């Protein structure tokens, strides 16, 4: 059995000049995940269920566990000194870490502390998503929004924690995707899937078909393609949609599949946030041999203009994402 801690240190040794700062940062995320795991699993017992009565910048009512997860991760990241600041779905602006030498931290972290949180009260899987960049403003000065508006291709590391039937932490630093399963009896994450890859083909599609009438033409045609009978291409595909990006992505990563959140009439830019949902999942997808686009452009090439900007999102098995992109090209919107 290899623990996440041992694995992180082992990977550091592949970089002789590494100072250990990224190792410490990844360990802080590991700690945050354990804290959130502990409290998610007893949410029903402790009065942290239900809404906080506060809405975030997205206008979404924040569940108490959203705020709890945000505070715990922020504290874990601030405590170690490698992080100069964070951006979060639950924070309107960037959070500049000051004092205790944080301005000397060379990394910034963008996160969705509890993705899929509307599922919390109904006991459906939720997740934490994180994305790590080297800052571009000078070390020793307070970080600025510029440090957080880098294209996803500049990520140093990215990953997620899925709090499901078991809690798993899945991450990449650009050398493959590795998955660890939490053993609460020992309090450690154990390596369970090294160098995870999407299967060559996939037969699952994940989309909220309730929005069908609002989808672009090409997406409607792709959904019908998924539902057609064609034995040669194992169609009709299976529809699986949990309403939690991390859970849908995780299942598609292991079994093959595509997750789609296109632009819709109500969300013309799509619903998912580029910086701390699309980019980290896109980094993981590409590292696992998959693909991630906005229907036309590679997600990791998009230069963010605003911290909480949204993007249409198509991610998963490469051939399935390419099929969806082809339908969007071949069936453009009627002008
Ligand atoms: P550091 O000096 O710890 O900030 O690391 C410098 C660079 O080495 C990082 O930005 C990574 O590209 C690589 N590196 C260091 N530690 C690790 C690790 N534990 N796992 C993967 N890559 C690492
Ligand atoms: P809808 C959760 O709020 C989330 O950001 C993703 O985790 C999930 O896939 C999606 O939104 C669900 O959105 O509109 O289908 O309820």
């Amino acid at each position: 059995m290899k623990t996440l801690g041992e694995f992180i240190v082992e990977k550091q040794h592949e970089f002789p000049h590494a100072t250990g700062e990224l190792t410490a940062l990844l360990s802080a995320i590991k700690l945050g995940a354990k804290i959130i795991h502990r409290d998610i699993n007893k949410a029903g017992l402790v009065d942290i269920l239900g809404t906080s009565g506060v809405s975030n910048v997205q206008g979404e009512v924040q569940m108490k566990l959203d705020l709890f997860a945000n505070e715990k991760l922020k504290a874990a990241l601030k405590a170690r000194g490698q992080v100069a600041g964070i951006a979060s779905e639950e924070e309107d602006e960037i959070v500049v870490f000051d004092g205790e030498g944080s301005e000397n931290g060379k990394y910034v972290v963008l996160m969705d502390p509890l993705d899929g949180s509307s599922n919390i009260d109904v006991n459906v899987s939720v997740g934490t998503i994180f994305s790590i960049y080297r800052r571009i403003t000078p070390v020793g000065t307070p970080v600025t929004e510029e440090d957080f508006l880098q294209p996803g291709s500049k990520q140093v590391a990215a990953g997620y924690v899925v709090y499901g039937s078991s809690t798993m932490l899945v991450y990449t630093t650009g050398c493959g995707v590795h998955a660890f399963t939490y053993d609460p009896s020992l309090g450690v994450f154990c390596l369970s899937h090294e160098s995870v890859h999407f299967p060559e083909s996939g037969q699952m599609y994940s989309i909220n078909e309730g929005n069908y009438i609002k989808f672009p033409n090409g997406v409607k045609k792709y959904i019908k393609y998924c539902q057609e009978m064609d034995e040669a291409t194992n169609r009709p595909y299976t529809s699986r949609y949990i309403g939690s990006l991390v859970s849908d992505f995780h299942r598609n990563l292991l079994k093959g599949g595509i997750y789609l959140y296109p632009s819709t009439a109500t969300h013309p830019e799509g619903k998912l946030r580029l910086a701390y949902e699309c980019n980290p999942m896109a980094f993981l997808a590409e590292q696992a041999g998959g693909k991630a686009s906005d229907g036309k452009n590679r997600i990791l090439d998009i230069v963010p203009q605003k911290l909480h900007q949204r993007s249409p999102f198509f991610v998963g098995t490469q051939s399935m994402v390419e099929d969806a992109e082809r339908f969007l090209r071949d069936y453009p919107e009627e002008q």
Side-chain angles (χ1 to χ4, degrees):
M1 177 194 76
K2 186 176 289 182
T3 68
L4 175 57
E6 290 162 341
F7 188 89
I8 292 171
V9 171
E10 194 179 278
K11 291 300 176 188
Q12 177 189 331
H13 292 150
E14 295 175 11
F15 298 84
H17 303 295
T19 62
E21 289 171 84
L22 183 63
T23 291
L25 168 41
L26 292 170
S27 304
I29 290 173
K30 170 161 65 83
L31 174 62
K34 291 180 183 178
I35 294 170
I36 297 169
H37 161 89
R38 178 196 62 194
D39 291 286
I40 277 206
N41 279 359
K42 66 182 183 192
L45 306 174
V46 180
D47 178 33
I48 47 180
L49 279 180
T51 62
S52 64
V54 173
S55 291
N56 61 17
V57 66
Q58 327 294 339
E60 291 167 348
V61 175
Q62 290 178 305
M63 310 296 285
K64 284 181 181 175
L65 258 176
D66 272 348
L67 298 176
F68 174 85
N70 191 56
E71 292 311 312
K72 292 303 176 188
L73 269 175
K74 224 173 15 175
L77 292 168
K78 183 167 184 174
R80 304 275 179 106
Q82 294 77 24
V83 178
I86 62 114
S88 167
E89 180 186 278
E90 308 307 334
E91 303 279 352
D92 297 357
E93 309 297 333
I94 64 169
V95 179
V96 179
F97 287 167
D98 50 20
E100 296 112 48
S102 294
E103 64 281 2
N104 297 318
K106 71 183 181 195
Y107 293 109
V108 292
V109 176
L110 295 87
M111 63 189 192
D112 183 355
L114 212 56
D115 179 73
S117 53
S118 54
N119 290 317
I120 292 171
D121 283 345
V122 294
N123 207 17
V124 168
S125 298
V126 290
T128 294
I129 308 173
F130 62 89
S131 169
I132 302 170
Y133 292 82
R134 232 176 250 94
R135 64 181 293 176
I136 48 183
T137 54
V139 169
T141 65
V143 285
T144 68
E145 197 167 79
E146 184 189 0
D147 292 302
F148 297 85
L149 296 179
Q150 301 180 56
S153 55
K154 298 289 189 189
Q155 289 175 96
V156 170
Y160 59 82
V161 185
V162 52
Y163 310 96
S165 42
S166 64
T167 290
M168 290 187 71
L169 187 147
V170 182
Y171 86 104
T172 182
T173 58
C175 304
V177 175
H178 312 291
F180 300 78
T181 301
Y182 189 54
D183 179 340
S185 66
L186 296 174
V188 292
F189 282 95
C190 305
L191 179 63
S192 51
H193 307 65
E194 187 164 6
S195 297
V196 186
H197 263 79
F198 283 99
E200 266 308 299
S201 64
Q203 282 81 44
M204 256 184 266
Y205 69 103
S206 307
I207 187 168
N208 182 345
E209 295 195 47
N211 294 324
Y212 181 86
I213 194 73
K214 306 174 200 165
F215 285 151
N217 241 355
V219 171
K220 290 178 180 173
K221 294 287 187 188
Y222 178 68
I223 291 173
K224 292 307 168 200
Y225 169 82
C226 293
Q227 295 168 346
E228 282 168 356
M229 178 66 76
D230 177 68
E231 281 183 29
T233 54
N234 297 313
R235 286 181 290 144
Y237 293 156
T238 296
S239 172
R240 284 281 184 278
Y241 191 68
I242 299 175
S244 174
L245 166 64
V246 169
S247 305
D248 281 315
F249 181 95
H250 187 71
R251 182 205 52 249
N252 292 344
L253 172 62
L254 298 179
K255 295 185 177 296
I258 181 173
Y259 171 97
L260 309 91
Y261 208 107
S263 59
T264 63
T266 40
H267 286 106
E269 291 303 309
K271 175 185 181 187
L272 299 184
R273 296 77 169 178
L274 177 62
Y276 39 78
E277 290 175 319
C278 302
N279 272 332
M281 304 312 269
F283 188 15
L284 288 160
E286 291 196 2
Q287 284 291 311
K291 186 169 185 180
S293 84
D294 64 3
K296 185 177 172 192
N297 309 294
R298 181 183 180 234
I299 286 288
L300 297 182
D301 288 342
I302 300 174
V303 180
Q305 302 303 316
K306 291 185 294 191
L307 194 57
H308 297 288
Q309 94 181 44
R310 300 172 189 266
S311 171
F313 194 41
F314 300 77
V315 63
T317 299
Q318 180 172 343
S319 58
M320 297 183 83
V321 173
E322 287 169 350
D323 285 344
E325 289 172 337
R326 188 173 70 251
F327 277 93
L328 282 163
R329 271 196 313 276
D330 296 353
Y331 297 92
E333 291 307 285
E334 276 111 35
Q335 298 308 327

